[in-house]
Coordinates of all heavy atoms in Angstrom, one line a residue:
A16 N -13.1 1.1 -17.2 CA -13.8 1.8 -16.2 C -13.0 1.8 -14.9 O -12.9 2.7 -14.2 CB -15.2 1.2 -16.0
V17 N -12.4 0.6 -14.6 CA -11.6 0.4 -13.4 C -10.4 1.4 -13.5 O -10.0 2.1 -12.6 CB -11.2 -1.0 -13.2 CG1 -10.1 -1.1 -12.2 CG2 -12.4 -1.9 -12.8
A18 N -9.7 1.4 -14.6 CA -8.5 2.2 -14.8 C -8.9 3.7 -14.7 O -8.1 4.5 -14.2 CB -7.8 1.9 -16.1
A19 N -10.0 4.1 -15.1 CA -10.5 5.4 -15.1 C -11.0 5.8 -13.7 O -11.3 7.0 -13.4 CB -11.5 5.7 -16.1
G20 N -11.0 4.9 -12.8 CA -11.5 5.2 -11.4 C -13.0 5.1 -11.3 O -13.5 5.6 -10.3
N21 N -13.7 4.4 -12.2 CA -15.1 4.3 -12.1 C -15.5 3.0 -11.5 O -15.8 2.1 -12.3 CB -15.7 4.5 -13.5 CG -15.4 5.9 -14.1 OD1 -15.2 6.8 -13.3 ND2 -15.3 6.0 -15.4
G22 N -15.5 2.9 -10.2 CA -16.0 1.6 -9.6 C -15.0 0.6 -9.3 O -15.4 -0.5 -9.0
G23 N -13.8 0.8 -9.5 CA -12.7 -0.2 -9.3 C -11.6 0.4 -8.5 O -11.6 1.6 -8.0
V24 N -10.6 -0.4 -8.3 CA -9.4 0.1 -7.6 C -8.5 0.7 -8.6 O -8.0 0.0 -9.5 CB -8.7 -1.1 -6.8 CG1 -7.5 -0.7 -6.1 CG2 -9.7 -1.7 -5.8
G25 N -8.1 1.9 -8.4 CA -7.2 2.6 -9.3 C -5.8 2.4 -9.0 O -5.4 1.8 -7.9
R26 N -4.9 2.8 -9.9 CA -3.5 2.7 -9.7 C -3.0 3.4 -8.5 O -2.2 2.9 -7.7 CB -2.8 3.2 -11.0 CG -1.3 3.1 -10.9 CD -0.6 3.5 -12.1 NE -1.1 4.8 -12.5 CZ -0.9 5.4 -13.7 NH1 -0.2 4.8 -14.6 NH2 -1.4 6.6 -14.0
R27 N -3.5 4.6 -8.2 CA -3.1 5.3 -7.0 C -3.4 4.6 -5.7 O -2.6 4.5 -4.8 CB -3.8 6.7 -7.0 CG -3.4 7.6 -5.8 CD -4.0 8.9 -5.8 NE -3.4 9.6 -7.0 CZ -3.7 10.8 -7.3 NH1 -4.6 11.5 -6.7 NH2 -3.1 11.4 -8.3
A28 N -4.6 4.0 -5.6 CA -5.0 3.2 -4.4 C -4.0 2.0 -4.2 O -3.6 1.7 -3.1 CB -6.4 2.7 -4.5
V29 N -3.7 1.4 -5.3 CA -2.8 0.2 -5.3 C -1.4 0.7 -4.8 O -0.8 0.1 -3.9 CB -2.7 -0.5 -6.6 CG1 -1.6 -1.6 -6.6 CG2 -4.0 -1.2 -6.9
L30 N -0.9 1.7 -5.4 CA 0.4 2.2 -5.0 C 0.4 2.7 -3.5 O 1.4 2.5 -2.8 CB 0.9 3.4 -5.9 CG 1.2 2.9 -7.3 CD1 1.5 4.1 -8.2 CD2 2.4 2.0 -7.3
C31 N -0.6 3.4 -3.1 CA -0.7 3.9 -1.7 C -0.8 2.7 -0.8 O -0.1 2.7 0.3 CB -1.9 4.8 -1.5 SG -1.7 6.4 -2.3
G32 N -1.5 1.7 -1.1 CA -1.6 0.5 -0.3 C -0.3 -0.2 -0.2 O 0.1 -0.7 0.9
A33 N 0.4 -0.3 -1.3 CA 1.8 -0.9 -1.3 C 2.7 -0.1 -0.4 O 3.5 -0.7 0.3 CB 2.3 -1.0 -2.7
G34 N 2.6 1.2 -0.5 CA 3.5 2.0 0.4 C 3.2 1.8 1.8 O 4.1 1.7 2.7
A35 N 1.9 1.7 2.2 CA 1.5 1.5 3.6 C 2.0 0.2 4.1 O 2.4 0.0 5.2 CB 0.0 1.7 3.7
A36 N 1.9 -0.8 3.2 CA 2.3 -2.2 3.6 C 3.8 -2.2 3.8 O 4.3 -2.8 4.8 CB 2.0 -3.2 2.5
G37 N 4.6 -1.5 3.0 CA 6.0 -1.4 3.1 C 6.4 -0.7 4.4 O 7.3 -1.1 5.1
A38 N 5.7 0.4 4.8 CA 5.9 1.1 6.0 C 5.6 0.2 7.2 O 6.4 0.2 8.2 CB 5.1 2.4 6.1
A39 N 4.6 -0.6 7.1 CA 4.3 -1.5 8.3 C 5.4 -2.5 8.4 O 5.8 -2.9 9.6 CB 2.9 -2.2 8.0
L40 N 5.9 -3.1 7.3 CA 7.0 -4.0 7.4 C 8.2 -3.4 8.0 O 8.9 -4.0 8.8 CB 7.3 -4.6 6.0 CG 6.3 -5.6 5.5 CD1 6.6 -6.0 4.1 CD2 6.2 -6.9 6.4
L41 N 8.5 -2.2 7.6 CA 9.7 -1.5 8.1 C 9.5 -1.3 9.6 O 10.5 -1.5 10.4 CB 9.9 -0.1 7.4 CG 11.1 0.7 7.8 CD1 12.4 0.0 7.6 CD2 11.1 2.0 7.1
A42 N 8.4 -0.8 10.0 CA 8.1 -0.6 11.5 C 8.3 -1.9 12.2 O 8.9 -2.0 13.3 CB 6.7 0.0 11.7
A43 N 7.8 -3.0 11.7 CA 7.9 -4.3 12.3 C 9.4 -4.7 12.4 O 9.8 -5.3 13.5 CB 7.1 -5.4 11.6
G44 N 10.1 -4.5 11.4 CA 11.6 -4.8 11.4 C 12.3 -4.0 12.5 O 13.1 -4.5 13.2
C45 N 12.0 -2.7 12.6 CA 12.7 -1.9 13.6 C 12.2 -2.2 15.0 O 12.9 -2.1 16.0 CB 12.4 -0.4 13.3 SG 13.4 0.2 11.9
G46 N 10.9 -2.7 15.1 CA 10.3 -3.0 16.4 C 10.6 -4.4 16.8 O 10.3 -4.8 17.9
G47 N 11.2 -5.2 15.9 CA 11.6 -6.5 16.3 C 10.5 -7.5 16.2 O 10.6 -8.7 16.6
G48 N 9.3 -7.1 15.7 CA 8.2 -8.0 15.5 C 7.6 -8.5 16.8 O 7.1 -9.6 16.9
G49 N 7.7 -7.7 17.9 CA 7.1 -8.1 19.2 C 7.9 -9.1 20.0 O 7.3 -9.8 20.8
K50 N 9.2 -9.1 19.8 CA 10.0 -10.1 20.5 C 10.0 -9.6 22.0 O 10.1 -8.5 22.3 CB 11.5 -10.0 20.1 CG 11.6 -10.6 18.7 CD 13.1 -10.4 18.3 CE 13.2 -10.8 16.8 NZ 14.5 -10.3 16.2

């Protein structure tokens, strides 16, 4: 049910979340992390 998207976190949501986390880390690296 989770894999089919019925009430759980699907593969697309996990991948999108990972992409957003990667983008945030890249932005922090370019921004110097608030130095």
